[in-house]
Amino acid sequence: MHVQPDFVSMFERDLDRNAANHVPLTPTAFLRRAAQVFPDRIAVIHGERRYTYREVWERSTRFASALERSGIKPGDTVSILAPNIPAMIEAHYAVPMVGAVLNPINIRLDASTVAFILSHAEAKVLLVDTEFADLAAAALQLLDDPVLVVDIDDLGTGRGIGTLDYESLVESGDPAFECRAPADEWEALLLSYTSGTTGDPKGVVYHHRGAYVNALANVAVWRISGTPVYLWTLPIFHSLGWCFPWTIPLMGGVQVCLRKIDPGQVFELIRRHGVTHMAGAPIVLQMLIEAASAGTETIEGPVRVMTAASPPPASVIERIEAMGFETLHVYGLTEVFGPAVVSEPQDYWADLSVEERARIKARQGVAYPTVEAMDVLDPETMRPVPRDGSTMGEVMIRSNTVMKGYLKNRAASDAVFRDGWFHTGDIAVVYPDGYIELKDRSKDVIISGGENISSIEIEQVLYRLPQVANAAVVAMPHRKWGEAPCAFVEMRNDAGELTEADIIDHCRENLAKFKVPGRVVFGPIPKTATGKIQKFLLREKAALLQQ
């Protein structure tokens, strides 16, 4: 049938979008609804403090009002340097509700990097927890433009560096303030900076739509029901806290704050508040295992823990589940609003041995339910790799939960958005069941005599040794083969004797000859604030070694 060029379907005539049938999505709506439906339910716990949903909504509204009175307008950047405290949660609502963009900053960065972020983000306001006053002060001295500094005296130290106090600022706001909703869900919501291991950090710009969608997806993949009690063992400043500042209010749940990871305190808060959910990197799980091995810490009921940031060793999953935790392994990046892939449990897994179930759970898995497409492609041909569990390619994602792009960096944005996909830079294989398993970052693949070696494969073998707490493998120079694996090993506190020869012999029994590390270096392994091993530092050390 011939169709006229100007043909318009009857389903597109006189059926326009309007304020009644098309409302831009924003995750701030979840708090507004929770305050209406559960006004007297506890929303946030911090030490002895308790805030109901009515109080959190009012505090966030006052905060937004005070920001506007201070001159903040839509499109401005409001930065915050703070741990997991109530003010950090409130900022995830108040700042967007005035149309501004929130910029959480990693509290473990050095002053020059913090200064770069504040300058690059063109921050108008900096909220600073007083524990990090010295860091903030040093960073501010490096700036050319003034920034309004607001002190958050969560610890009651009284040693702020700002001109305003957070609690006074909140109190000065109007509780009847008419909060701004985005005119377009593509508007910027939050700005988070990557680690910048190979140069200045890149500013990842998130949109309202992606945060709303991923917050919903968290409920689906974790099968959250009832009233969850979520313990903040994941830094909120890391990848929007995986969208949980919005997921938990969506379910009318409780957020339990935690300034820093202390295994004893984690166990105590789990028992005291009946924690049902928590999240964090494998290093957090390892810390809990270490504490439990001393025989001093236990939990009574199952606690569901979502883990990501780096591939968890199967041995860690096996040990943490033996303690009463139920793990859900996810995978994502800063650029995709946190988790985008999940090791979706299958019914038949219940019939597997403990060891086999732990091994299969350690795979990254399949796409989140709200991710349009995720695949492992050959980056040269852009064709899917065979589903054989051995052919490696690059993980690529297409989704409403991919960032807008990198702030002021069109070249970097274009590079990762090639051919209609977000290129993650992560190397993986796909199994016949469609589940993917990471093998390396593209920059971490070791090429020895023309053979590609997965550092993760070697690390998994190292973690089978009960004495090993942390392990990392990088390339070191080799006179004949170009590169060879070099293993860095951090021993458990209660570990017995383990020599370099012992580890190499163990690897020879479990790996092909060309994959066996040529050297083993013992000692502490450097990590980021989110538990990621800083391989660039290890590569610098390994570069000084040679076989």
Side-chain angles (χ1 to χ4, degrees), residues 312 317 321 325-330 343 345 349 356-364:
I317 292 179
E321 292 200 340
F325 292 89
E326 297 178 1
T327 61
L328 182 68
H329 181 200
V330 298
S343 188
W349 291 5
E356 180 63 14
R357 187 164 59 249
R359 187 196 67 76
I360 207 166
K361 275 190 169 186
R363 299 185 303 174
Q364 278 58 46

Short mmCIF file of all heavy atoms in Angstrom, two decimals, residues 312 317 321 325-330 343 345 349 356-364:
data_model
loop_
_atom_site.label_atom_id
_atom_site.label_comp_id
_atom_site.label_asym_id
_atom_site.label_seq_id
_atom_site.Cartn_x
_atom_site.Cartn_y
_atom_site.Cartn_z
N PRO A 312 33.97 -10.55 42.42
CA PRO A 312 34.21 -11.21 43.70
C PRO A 312 34.75 -12.62 43.50
O PRO A 312 34.21 -13.38 42.68
CB PRO A 312 32.81 -11.24 44.34
CG PRO A 312 31.88 -11.29 43.17
CD PRO A 312 32.54 -10.47 42.09
N ILE A 317 32.45 -15.43 48.08
CA ILE A 317 31.01 -15.68 48.08
C ILE A 317 30.67 -16.89 48.94
O ILE A 317 29.71 -16.88 49.73
CB ILE A 317 30.50 -15.87 46.64
CG1 ILE A 317 30.60 -14.55 45.87
CG2 ILE A 317 29.07 -16.39 46.62
CD1 ILE A 317 30.16 -14.63 44.42
N GLU A 321 28.42 -16.44 52.45
CA GLU A 321 27.11 -17.08 52.51
C GLU A 321 27.04 -18.09 53.64
O GLU A 321 25.97 -18.31 54.22
CB GLU A 321 26.78 -17.73 51.17
CG GLU A 321 26.55 -16.70 50.07
CD GLU A 321 25.76 -17.22 48.89
OE1 GLU A 321 25.71 -18.46 48.72
OE2 GLU A 321 25.20 -16.39 48.14
N PHE A 325 24.76 -14.58 55.02
CA PHE A 325 24.47 -13.54 54.04
C PHE A 325 24.04 -14.18 52.72
O PHE A 325 24.57 -15.23 52.33
CB PHE A 325 25.70 -12.66 53.80
CG PHE A 325 26.10 -11.82 54.97
CD1 PHE A 325 26.97 -12.32 55.94
CD2 PHE A 325 25.61 -10.53 55.13
CE1 PHE A 325 27.34 -11.55 57.03
CE2 PHE A 325 25.98 -9.75 56.21
CZ PHE A 325 26.85 -10.26 57.17
N GLU A 326 23.09 -13.56 52.04
CA GLU A 326 22.65 -14.02 50.73
C GLU A 326 23.18 -13.04 49.69
O GLU A 326 22.76 -11.88 49.65
CB GLU A 326 21.13 -14.09 50.66
CG GLU A 326 20.51 -15.09 51.63
CD GLU A 326 19.00 -15.09 51.55
OE1 GLU A 326 18.42 -14.33 50.73
OE2 GLU A 326 18.37 -15.85 52.32
N THR A 327 24.09 -13.48 48.84
CA THR A 327 24.74 -12.56 47.91
C THR A 327 23.99 -12.45 46.60
O THR A 327 23.40 -13.42 46.11
CB THR A 327 26.19 -13.00 47.61
OG1 THR A 327 26.17 -14.30 47.02
CG2 THR A 327 27.02 -13.02 48.88
N LEU A 328 24.03 -11.27 46.04
CA LEU A 328 23.57 -11.02 44.68
C LEU A 328 24.68 -10.25 43.99
O LEU A 328 25.00 -9.12 44.37
CB LEU A 328 22.27 -10.22 44.65
CG LEU A 328 21.71 -9.96 43.24
CD1 LEU A 328 21.24 -11.27 42.62
CD2 LEU A 328 20.56 -8.96 43.28
N HIS A 329 25.28 -10.85 42.98
CA HIS A 329 26.40 -10.24 42.29
C HIS A 329 25.89 -9.40 41.13
O HIS A 329 25.13 -9.89 40.29
CB HIS A 329 27.34 -11.34 41.78
CG HIS A 329 28.55 -10.83 41.07
ND1 HIS A 329 29.30 -11.60 40.21
CD2 HIS A 329 29.16 -9.61 41.08
CE1 HIS A 329 30.29 -10.89 39.74
NE2 HIS A 329 30.23 -9.68 40.24
N VAL A 330 26.28 -8.14 41.08
CA VAL A 330 25.92 -7.25 39.98
C VAL A 330 27.19 -6.66 39.39
O VAL A 330 28.27 -6.76 39.97
CB VAL A 330 24.96 -6.13 40.44
CG1 VAL A 330 23.65 -6.71 40.95
CG2 VAL A 330 25.61 -5.25 41.51
N SER A 343 23.79 -11.19 38.14
CA SER A 343 23.90 -12.64 38.09
C SER A 343 22.57 -13.21 38.58
O SER A 343 22.43 -13.64 39.72
CB SER A 343 25.06 -13.12 38.97
OG SER A 343 25.28 -14.51 38.80
N PRO A 345 19.66 -15.23 39.72
CA PRO A 345 19.59 -16.61 40.23
C PRO A 345 18.64 -17.48 39.41
O PRO A 345 17.59 -17.02 38.96
CB PRO A 345 19.06 -16.42 41.66
CG PRO A 345 19.37 -15.00 42.01
CD PRO A 345 19.25 -14.24 40.73
N TRP A 349 20.16 -23.68 40.45
CA TRP A 349 21.34 -23.41 41.27
C TRP A 349 21.22 -24.04 42.66
O TRP A 349 22.22 -24.37 43.29
CB TRP A 349 21.58 -21.91 41.40
CG TRP A 349 22.00 -21.23 40.13
CD1 TRP A 349 22.11 -21.79 38.89
CD2 TRP A 349 22.38 -19.86 39.97
NE1 TRP A 349 22.52 -20.86 37.96
CE2 TRP A 349 22.69 -19.66 38.59
CE3 TRP A 349 22.47 -18.78 40.83
CZ2 TRP A 349 23.10 -18.43 38.08
CZ3 TRP A 349 22.88 -17.54 40.33
CH2 TRP A 349 23.19 -17.37 38.98
N GLU A 356 30.21 -25.09 43.62
CA GLU A 356 29.79 -24.81 42.26
C GLU A 356 28.84 -23.62 42.21
O GLU A 356 28.91 -22.78 41.30
CB GLU A 356 29.12 -26.04 41.65
CG GLU A 356 28.63 -25.86 40.22
CD GLU A 356 29.74 -25.57 39.22
OE1 GLU A 356 30.93 -25.76 39.57
OE2 GLU A 356 29.44 -25.15 38.09
N ARG A 357 27.96 -23.52 43.21
CA ARG A 357 27.03 -22.39 43.24
C ARG A 357 27.80 -21.07 43.44
O ARG A 357 27.47 -20.06 42.82
CB ARG A 357 25.99 -22.57 44.33
CG ARG A 357 24.89 -21.51 44.33
CD ARG A 357 23.68 -21.92 45.15
NE ARG A 357 24.00 -22.18 46.54
CZ ARG A 357 23.98 -23.39 47.11
NH1 ARG A 357 23.67 -24.45 46.37
NH2 ARG A 357 24.28 -23.56 48.38
N ALA A 358 28.80 -21.09 44.28
CA ALA A 358 29.61 -19.89 44.50
C ALA A 358 30.34 -19.51 43.22
O ALA A 358 30.43 -18.32 42.88
CB ALA A 358 30.61 -20.11 45.63
N ARG A 359 30.84 -20.51 42.49
CA ARG A 359 31.55 -20.23 41.26
C ARG A 359 30.63 -19.61 40.21
O ARG A 359 30.98 -18.64 39.55
CB ARG A 359 32.18 -21.52 40.70
CG ARG A 359 33.08 -21.28 39.49
CD ARG A 359 33.35 -22.56 38.74
NE ARG A 359 32.14 -23.07 38.10
CZ ARG A 359 31.61 -22.56 37.00
NH1 ARG A 359 32.16 -21.53 36.39
NH2 ARG A 359 30.52 -23.10 36.49
N ILE A 360 29.43 -20.15 40.09
CA ILE A 360 28.52 -19.65 39.06
C ILE A 360 27.94 -18.29 39.44
O ILE A 360 27.65 -17.46 38.58
CB ILE A 360 27.41 -20.70 38.79
CG1 ILE A 360 26.89 -20.56 37.36
CG2 ILE A 360 26.28 -20.62 39.80
CD1 ILE A 360 26.05 -21.73 36.90
N LYS A 361 27.80 -18.04 40.75
CA LYS A 361 27.34 -16.73 41.20
C LYS A 361 28.37 -15.64 40.95
O LYS A 361 28.04 -14.46 40.87
CB LYS A 361 27.01 -16.76 42.70
CG LYS A 361 25.61 -17.23 43.05
CD LYS A 361 25.34 -16.99 44.53
CE LYS A 361 23.88 -17.19 44.87
NZ LYS A 361 23.59 -16.81 46.28
N ALA A 362 29.63 -16.03 40.82
CA ALA A 362 30.70 -15.05 40.63
C ALA A 362 30.71 -14.50 39.21
O ALA A 362 31.38 -13.50 38.95
CB ALA A 362 32.05 -15.69 40.96
N ARG A 363 29.97 -15.12 38.29
CA ARG A 363 29.84 -14.55 36.95
C ARG A 363 29.03 -13.25 37.03
O ARG A 363 28.17 -13.10 37.90
CB ARG A 363 29.15 -15.54 36.01
CG ARG A 363 29.89 -16.85 35.83
CD ARG A 363 29.23 -17.74 34.80
NE ARG A 363 27.84 -18.03 35.11
CZ ARG A 363 27.01 -18.69 34.31
NH1 ARG A 363 27.43 -19.13 33.14
NH2 ARG A 363 25.75 -18.92 34.67
N GLN A 364 29.28 -12.34 36.10
CA GLN A 364 28.58 -11.05 36.15
C GLN A 364 27.11 -11.20 35.79
O GLN A 364 26.26 -10.56 36.38
CB GLN A 364 29.27 -10.05 35.23
CG GLN A 364 30.49 -9.38 35.83
CD GLN A 364 31.56 -10.34 36.26
OE1 GLN A 364 31.91 -11.27 35.54
NE2 GLN A 364 32.09 -10.15 37.46
#
